[in-house]
Amino acid sequence: MSTSHQPTRSGSASSYNSASLGSSNADGSLLGQASKWLNKGSVGDMLGRMTTTQKVVGGALLAVGVSALLRGNKSKASKASGAGSDAQVDTLNELLYFVNDRIEGYQRAVEESQDPQNTGYYKQLVSQSQQFANELNGFLRQQGGSRQDSTTVKGKFYRAWMDTKAAITGADEKAILGSNIYGEEWAIKAYEDALSDNTLRGPVRQAVERQYQHSKQTYNRLKGMEGKQE
């Protein structure tokens, strides 16, 4: 079973002000919302004005935002100091968090979709994502790393939010498809980040580039499916 990606934290979350949260690109929409709430006034005044729901959601947003910020800083520092196989291990580990998110996202779509054609396609994407993960984990073991089956905190939070939304409003094909498109955008960004830091070499890079192209093809097909629903 997958576990969420939890970075080692140093210091308290209070050391991060709204400016540092708002300026991070690691988790734009979530950090932006958290930053807006922080900028409304002092923490005490803000809590006094917030409903219970806002407090719960706001706390979750801040937790996800700080986790993403810490994870991003830790990853950048590690890659800056690493070289050769160590740098490739870091990059593969980071990418696998998002590939594992992709697996869980499409598994969720298979469970919720009532459209036989859509369900069949989502099952193909689960299988494809599992193949991607196995391939990357194979390279990871070759580089001396351990198998990575974890998912991101962001992905875990998003799926929990979607489950809550579905429980209240019900799951429909359009919402499921929209969630898949959003998840594929995350995957594409993760592949672009992995390829742009120039740590991957030879067969590893070729495999990541191939997976990246498949992810873009999937995104285009999902967008096409969305267009037919409108």
Side-chain angles (χ1 to χ4, degrees), residues 7-209:
T8 301
R9 301 184 181 185
S10 57
S12 65
S14 62
S15 64
Y16 291 90
N17 58 28
S18 59
S20 65
L21 286 171
S23 64
S24 172
N25 292 325
D27 219 287
S29 60
L30 296 178
L31 289 176
Q33 186 63 55
S35 179
K36 287 179 183 178
W37 284 354
L38 283 175
N39 284 328
K40 287 182 179 179
S42 68
V43 174
D45 292 341
M46 178 186 69
L47 290 176
R49 295 194 301 269
M50 291 172 68
T51 65
T52 300
T53 300
Q54 287 176 324
K55 291 175 183 178
V56 172
V57 175
L61 290 171
L62 288 172
V64 173
V66 172
S67 295
L69 184 62
L70 289 171
R71 177 170 58 83
N73 289 342
K74 180 181 178 182
S75 176
K76 289 178 182 178
S78 177
K79 289 179 181 178
S81 63
S85 62
D86 289 341
Q88 289 199 99
V89 166
D90 289 339
T91 300
L92 287 171
N93 267 312
E94 189 72 14
L95 180 56
L96 272 161
Y97 289 121
F98 290 90
V99 175
N100 292 331
D101 269 345
R102 196 175 190 261
I103 295 172
E104 291 203 8
Y106 288 123
Q107 284 177 333
R108 181 178 177 277
V110 168
E111 294 169 358
E112 295 185 353
S113 177
Q114 300 300 312
D115 184 302
Q117 185 173 356
N118 288 355
T119 300
Y121 182 49
Y122 298 151
K123 286 181 178 179
Q124 291 178 30
L125 293 176
V126 171
S127 178
Q128 182 193 70
S129 301
Q130 290 171 336
Q131 291 174 12
F132 286 177
N134 287 335
E135 184 176 31
L136 296 179
N137 272 306
F139 286 121
L140 192 58
R141 287 193 296 270
Q142 290 177 13
Q143 301 291 335
S146 301
R147 182 176 179 84
Q148 182 58 263
D149 292 316
S150 299
T151 58
T152 64
V153 172
K154 174 181 172 181
K156 197 79 170 178
F157 175 82
Y158 180 71
R159 285 187 293 276
W161 177 75
M162 289 298 292
D163 287 339
T164 302
K165 181 180 177 183
I168 297 173
T169 64
D172 58 60
E173 296 302 322
K174 186 175 182 179
I176 295 169
L177 183 57
S179 178
N180 290 338
I181 290 172
Y182 191 35
E184 203 63 48
E185 288 174 348
W186 291 356
I188 289 173
K189 180 62 166 60
Y191 280 111
E192 289 174 347
D193 288 346
L195 291 169
S196 66
D197 67 16
N198 296 318
T199 58
L200 302 179
R201 297 286 185 271
V204 181
R205 185 176 186 86
Q206 292 172 6
V208 171
E209 287 176 340

